């Protein structure tokens, strides 16, 4: 199988360069050493004990989401054999309890896999974000922390842009552009390990008889190996498989959305219900409407109308968007 290509690397990137050059390009970028000077990274570089002591300074005792997988899972959080459930158990824990578990099992090669998931810092670790400032983003974008041991997160995508910062341990990201969706063999929408649909392919042992197009996905893949202090920009809707390599790992990430007035996923799911099973000629007609009015394949769709007559095809105000959502909600309630 082909070896994924490396992701372009930059140092010394400013917020202006990120906003005006990297973000519009919409391709992954590695920022070497971007957060190496953060106090939390410096603590992690000293030792895991220093890292845990640093985190305890901010902890207010709130519960956090956790996932535990037995040694038989080999760190891979996934489905059970018949895809009726999962090979792990999820729950909540105190941050201190999770840190204690990681500290006591860091030398245990048979330890159960633990992942502390997507902890928003402002409510759980107040002061952490102010002590470790992301130089590329507006301070209003909230940081989230991820802590665990040697775990594997299946390929998935986020409905937002993402900057992921490696704080402790090493992580390997394997990324795929959005158009590789058909080649990743995605699992159910209704049952997901953590809210996002995931690829069913085992990257350590891909079954190319069952998933033959995965070979094409690998041809389009790119890979980044992050050390403490490095960061990775993951563009909107890019699929990413994440492997935490060492006994103790920590990541800080930032999700943000550009120009969102409503939830695209909600519209997508409703489109499956409303359009997928129509006759082929009907679907083709709706494809033309979507391409013209939503994806603007032919340019702005209402330039021939005066601005005050463009309605939803023009610049929708906040109040107009609210009225449209209300009307949609009523229509969906009637059709339920």
């Amino acid at each position: 199988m082909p070896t994924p290509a490396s992701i372009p690397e930059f140092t010394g990137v400013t917020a202006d360069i990120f906003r005006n050059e990297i973000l519009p390009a919409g391709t992954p970028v590695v920022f070497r050493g971007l957060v190496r000077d953060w106090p939390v990274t410096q603590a992690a570089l000293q030792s895991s004990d220093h890292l845990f002591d640093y985190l305890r300074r901010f902890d207010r005792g709130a519960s956090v989401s956790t996932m535990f997988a037995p040694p038989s899972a080999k760190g891979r959080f996934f489905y059970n054999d018949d895809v009726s459930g999962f090979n792990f158990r999820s729950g909540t824990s105190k941050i201190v309890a999770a840190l204690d578990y990681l500290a006591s099992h860091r030398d245990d090669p048979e330890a159960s896999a633990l992942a502390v998931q997507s902890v928003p810092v402002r409510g759980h670790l107040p002061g952490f974000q102010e002590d470790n400032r992301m130089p590329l983003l507006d301070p209003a974008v909230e940081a989230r922390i991820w802590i665990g041991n040697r775990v594997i997160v299946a390929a998935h995508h986020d409905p937002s842009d993402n900057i992921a910062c490696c704080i402790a341990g090493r992580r390997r990201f394997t990324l795929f552009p959005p158009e590789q969706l058909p080649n990743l063999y995605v699992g159910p929408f209704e049952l997901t390990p953590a809210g996002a649909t995931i690829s069913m392919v085992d990257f350590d042992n891909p079954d190319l008889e069952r998933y033959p197009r995965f070979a094409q996905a690998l041809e389009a893949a790119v890979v980044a190996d992050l050390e403490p202090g490095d960061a990775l920009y993951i563009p909107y809707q890019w699929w990413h498989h994440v492997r935490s390599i060492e006994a103790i790992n920590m990541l800080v990430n930032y999700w943000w959305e550009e120009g969102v007035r409503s939830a695209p996923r909600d519209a997508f799911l409703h489109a499956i219900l409303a359009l997928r099973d129509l006759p082929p000629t009907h679907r083709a007609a709706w494809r033309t409407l979507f391409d013209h009015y939503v994806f603007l394949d032919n340019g702005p769709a209402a330039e021939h109308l005066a601005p005050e007559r463009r309605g939803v095809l023009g610049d929708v105000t906040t109040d107009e968007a609210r009225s449209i959502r209300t009307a949609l909600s009523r229509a969906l309630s009637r059709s339920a």
Side-chain angles (χ1 to χ4, degrees), residues 132-154:
N132 301 275
R133 296 183 180 275
M134 163 49 63
L136 304 183
L137 299 176
D138 188 309
V141 179
E142 185 170 14
R144 293 172 177 268
I145 65 169
W146 310 68
I147 307 171
N149 46 16
R150 293 184 178 93
V151 303
I152 299 170
V153 177

Side-chain angles (χ1 to χ4, degrees), residues 193-254:
T197 51
I198 66 170
S199 171
M200 300 297 289
V201 181
D202 181 352
F203 280 36
D204 287 335
N205 187 28
D207 184 347
L208 295 183
E209 290 188 3
R210 187 174 184 182
Y211 308 118
R213 294 193 308 272
F214 183 65
Q216 295 173 245
L218 286 177
E219 292 177 359
V222 291
V223 67
D225 290 318
L226 299 189
E227 303 281 344
D230 296 337
L232 170 66
Y233 167 55
I234 304 173
Y236 185 84
Q237 295 279 18
W238 273 65
W239 293 82
H240 45 289
H241 175 278
V242 189
R243 182 187 303 274
S244 300
I245 296 172
E246 297 183 15
I248 292 175
N249 299 270
M250 178 175 168
L251 185 88
V252 173
N253 93 296
Y254 301 81

Side-chain angles (χ1 to χ4, degrees), residues 10-336:
F10 291 84
T11 58
V13 172
T14 65
D16 284 343
I17 291 174
F18 177 69
R19 170 65 57 179
N20 298 320
E21 299 179 24
I22 293 173
L23 198 57
T27 57
V29 170
V30 172
F31 305 112
R32 291 295 179 199
L34 180 72
V35 299
R36 188 177 178 86
D37 291 337
W38 277 4
V40 66
T41 312
Q42 288 298 305
L45 287 169
Q46 292 183 66
S47 69
S48 57
D49 287 335
H50 281 85
L51 171 63
F52 293 165
D53 287 344
Y54 178 83
L55 294 174
R56 290 187 183 99
R57 289 170 41 194
F58 302 96
D59 180 36
R60 295 299 179 266
S63 295
V64 296
S65 297
T66 58
M67 298 164 64
F68 262 104
S72 59
K74 298 181 180 179
R76 184 185 182 219
F77 291 101
F78 197 63
Y79 293 101
N80 58 14
D81 289 341
D82 64 359
V83 196
S84 63
F86 305 109
N87 68 348
F88 62 90
R89 59 183 175 86
S90 57
T92 60
S93 172
K94 304 295 185 183
I95 291 178
V96 169
L99 299 182
D100 289 345
Y101 174 84
L102 291 172
S104 62
H105 290 82
R106 63 186 142 203
D107 298 321
D108 180 3
E110 297 299 318
S112 295
L114 167 66
V116 175
Q117 295 283 92
S118 187
V119 178
V121 300
R122 288 184 180 134
H124 293 77
L125 300 170
F128 176 92
Q129 186 156 343
E130 290 70 23
D131 210 34
N132 301 275
R133 296 183 180 275
M134 163 49 63
L136 304 183
L137 299 176
D138 188 309
V141 179
E142 185 170 14
R144 293 172 177 268
I145 65 169
W146 310 68
I147 307 171
N149 46 16
R150 293 184 178 93
V151 303
I152 299 170
V153 177
H156 64 286
H157 67 115
D158 305 319
S160 59
D161 286 287
N162 185 3
I163 291 180
C165 307
C166 184
I167 304 302
R170 294 174 295 133
R171 294 199 183 216
R172 165 163 284 203
F173 287 78
T174 305
L175 293 89
F176 305 85
E179 60 267 24
Q180 288 304 312
L181 165 65
N183 300 327
L184 292 172
Y185 298 91
V186 175
F189 274 78
E190 297 79 9
L191 184 68
T192 65
T197 51
I198 66 170
S199 171
M200 300 297 289
V201 181
D202 181 352
F203 280 36
D204 287 335
N205 187 28
D207 184 347
L208 295 183
E209 290 188 3
R210 187 174 184 182
Y211 308 118
R213 294 193 308 272
F214 183 65
Q216 295 173 245
L218 286 177
E219 292 177 359
V222 291
V223 67
D225 290 318
L226 299 189
E227 303 281 344
D230 296 337
L232 170 66
Y233 167 55
I234 304 173
Y236 185 84
Q237 295 279 18
W238 273 65
W239 293 82
H240 45 289
H241 175 278
V242 189
R243 182 187 303 274
S244 300
I245 296 172
E246 297 183 15
I248 292 175
N249 299 270
M250 178 175 168
L251 185 88
V252 173
N253 93 296
Y254 301 81
W255 285 316
W256 76 99
E257 297 178 87
E258 301 281 335
V260 174
R261 290 185 299 212
S262 192
R265 181 181 170 86
D266 293 344
F268 169 72
L269 291 174
H270 188 244
I272 290 177
L273 290 175
L275 304 177
R276 186 187 60 189
D277 296 327
L278 292 176
T281 55
H282 296 195
R283 289 202 309 271
W286 278 107
R287 183 193 299 272
T288 298
L289 288 170
F290 271 76
D291 287 344
H292 184 67
Y293 288 111
V294 178
F295 300 112
L296 305 179
D297 282 1
N298 306 301
E303 283 189 322
H304 57 287
L305 298 174
E308 67 273 13
R309 296 290 179 262
R310 292 175 184 173
V312 71
L313 300 178
D315 295 327
V316 179
T317 67
T318 300
D319 288 341
E320 289 170 337
R322 187 181 299 113
S323 296
I324 294 168
R325 285 194 293 267
T326 300
L328 286 171
S329 178
R330 289 171 180 165
L332 290 171
S333 297
R334 289 194 298 269
S335 64

